[in-house]
Amino acid sequence: MTVLRSIRTMGAVCAATALLAACGGSDDNNGERSVGSLRLIGQQILPRRMEYQGTVVGGISGIDYDEKSNQFVLLSDDRTTTDSANAPRMYTVRLNYDASSFSGVQFLSTFSMKQPNGAVYPKVPDPLVADPESVRVDRATGNYVWVSEGDRTLASGTSAARIIDPFIREVRPDGTHVREYQIPAMFRMSADNTGPRGNLAFEGIAFTPDNSRAAVLMEGALLQDGPASTTTAGSVSRITMFDRATGAAVAQYAYPVDKVQAVPVPADQFTVSGATEILALSGTRFLVLERSFSVGVVGNQIRLYEINTANASNVLTTPALAGAAYTPVTKRLVLDFETLKGPLGGIANLEGITFGPKLANGRDSLVVVADDNFPTADSQTDRNQYLVFEVLP
């Protein structure tokens, strides 16, 4: 096992409280949670392209906590030979923190996820490549359920098209395949002007506290639902509820995605704004992480919202949201990470969130991790960043 200590330690300045617009209540008796505000405990930044058991640690796009083992599982979205020579994989780790400090990340194991045929997942440009984005631990079985974003790369010049559907799959702790959820037809990738956009498909998954439902989050709008977010307007994605027993979709809600938060430099360069992770508070309330990025702007603009689906329209049978009448989920800002940009020395590409173990004072902890995109040089935008917060009422 490998123990990593902080490259950047957090002093008392990072114990400042990040307040939100309204306060939440206390924990319910049914595993439900409330989040009022967050107090930053500390951060760890792992060395760029560090190695563990012959793998390059990076691309951490998902995290979840296994209460039974007191370990966290990390999901790496390694999908190209430029990222590394390793197959897509998970890690188990311990995060060493308490209410006053976050002192290290301890790696325990790693394993590759297996396809239904038993083979590891290949790399781009293989038509069976996966793009892992989020993972959750099944509290009943100990298995891992993870989502792949798929691929929509159209033919260009001498490059062949890659049209690969997103998926939701379950694996055992050794990575062997168990089953696959049933994906609604609207999520099938297509070279036509329908279905998910490339790199804006399945991005997050959450289990409701009773473990009966899985909420799967789209990063951005389906092509038929309207344009992607710009610097002047937001967009709309979908959150789909799946019955965990059958693997079938049972409901779906429209999620309003923020506009791009910063103008790129130069102004005609690439931008993106999308929802990157979801975490359940109850059967209808969730935390959603949103990320905005603009070329030429240092760091990422990250916001954490609490959303509620209780009064939202069920749009599962609505083929296109553009021009349709519906009520979206409600959103409440919990934390604008820009307020922590100075103390943290920058905000990386935060993509994973989970509750961790209870702190000694009985309050929840919340962990947020970044996908560093396997950088070749150190930067404030792409780094292996881990953040721990105390959840305040």
Side-chain angles (χ1 to χ4, degrees):
M1 60 182 64
T2 300
V3 178
L4 301 170
R5 300 301 175 189
S6 60
I7 292 177
R8 183 185 304 274
T9 57
M10 303 303 299
V13 65
C14 291
T17 299
L19 295 177
L20 67 160
C23 289
S26 59
D27 286 358
D28 296 329
N29 294 324
N30 301 317
E32 298 186 358
R33 305 174 192 256
S34 293
V35 175
S37 60
L38 298 177
R39 180 182 68 86
L40 180 64
I41 294 174
Q43 80 165 329
Q44 293 284 316
I45 301 175
L46 306 191
R48 175 174 53 86
R49 299 186 68 85
M50 63 159 280
E51 293 191 4
Y52 174 74
Q53 291 189 358
T55 69
V56 177
V57 176
I60 304 302
S61 56
I63 183 172
D64 202 24
Y65 176 62
D66 183 352
E67 186 175 357
K68 291 181 179 178
S69 65
N70 192 31
Q71 299 175 6
F72 293 83
V73 60
L74 307 176
L75 179 68
S76 173
D77 71 353
D78 190 339
R79 63 191 298 266
T80 72
T81 54
T82 303
D83 294 338
S84 83
N86 312 121
R89 58 202 170 276
M90 297 188 196
Y91 298 93
T92 59
V93 301
R94 283 202 176 94
L95 305 184
N96 302 317
Y97 63 84
D98 56 26
S100 61
S101 65
F102 178 19
S103 60
V105 181
Q106 183 180 19
F107 278 73
L108 305 173
S109 69
T110 185
F111 60 91
S112 298
M113 299 87 75
K114 305 298 193 304
Q115 300 179 64
N117 65 7
V120 299
Y121 286 87
K123 294 297 193 80
V124 172
D126 193 287
L128 294 177
V129 68
D131 187 3
E133 294 295 348
S134 182
V135 61
R136 294 298 170 199
V137 180
D138 186 327
R139 296 185 297 277
T141 65
N143 290 342
Y144 303 134
V145 180
W146 63 288
V147 300
S148 172
E149 196 166 26
D151 198 348
R152 185 179 182 268
T153 301
L154 303 181
S156 176
T158 59
S159 300
R162 283 196 311 277
I163 306 297
I164 304 170
D165 289 336
F167 61 70
I168 309 164
R169 290 179 177 172
E170 181 175 338
V171 297
R172 298 180 183 88
D174 63 0
T176 54
H177 178 82
V178 175
R179 64 168 176 154
E180 185 165 353
Y181 286 42
Q182 304 167 44
I183 303 302
M186 68 177 69
F187 297 131
R188 301 295 182 191
M189 287 288 187
S190 172
D192 298 326
N193 204 34
T194 60
R197 288 176 164 85
N199 213 32
L200 289 177
F202 291 172
E203 190 73 15
I205 187 171
F207 293 161
T208 54
D210 65 4
N211 213 33
S212 68
R213 297 285 187 267
V216 175
L217 175 71
M218 287 280 294
E219 183 173 354
L222 295 172
L223 288 161
Q224 65 266 30
D225 285 346
S229 294
T230 66
T231 55
T232 58
S235 61
V236 60
S237 72
R238 301 191 188 216
I239 297 172
T240 306
M241 304 299 296
F242 289 83
D243 183 286
R244 295 214 50 237
T246 65
V250 294
Q252 189 179 81
Y253 309 104
Y255 177 85
V257 178
D258 288 356
K259 68 179 183 179
V260 174
Q261 298 300 309
V263 176
V265 182
D268 60 350
Q269 293 300 296
F270 173 80
T271 63
V272 67
S273 179
T276 62
E277 187 60 285
I278 186 168
L279 181 65
L281 301 176
S282 73
T284 60
R285 295 180 298 108
F286 301 85
L287 294 179
V288 171
L289 199 63
E290 285 197 39
R291 181 266 328 278
S292 174
F293 170 77
S294 302
V295 167
V297 177
V298 175
N300 297 264
Q301 294 74 52
I302 308 291
R303 293 177 176 180
L304 182 67
Y305 289 98
E306 179 179 336
I307 71 163
N308 198 323
T309 66
N311 296 317
S313 305
N314 185 349
V315 296
L316 183 59
T317 59
T318 304
L321 296 181
Y326 61 87
T327 301
V329 305
T330 58
K331 295 172 64 174
R332 176 176 66 88
L333 181 65
V334 173
L335 174 63
D336 185 345
F337 281 77
E338 284 293 290
T339 63
L340 300 175
K341 192 172 185 177
L344 292 174
I347 304 296
N349 179 30
L350 301 178
E351 289 199 354
I353 55 174
T354 184
F355 290 109
K358 295 277 188 182
L359 300 172
N361 59 15
R363 290 176 174 162
D364 284 319
S365 61
L366 185 76
V367 180
V368 187
V369 297
D371 174 357
D372 67 350
N373 295 308
F374 293 94
T376 56
D378 294 324
S379 76
Q380 295 180 11
T381 301
D382 294 319
R383 55 183 183 163
N384 222 332
Q385 187 174 45
Y386 294 66
L387 306 176
V388 175
F389 297 87
E390 177 184 5
V391 176
L392 303 178

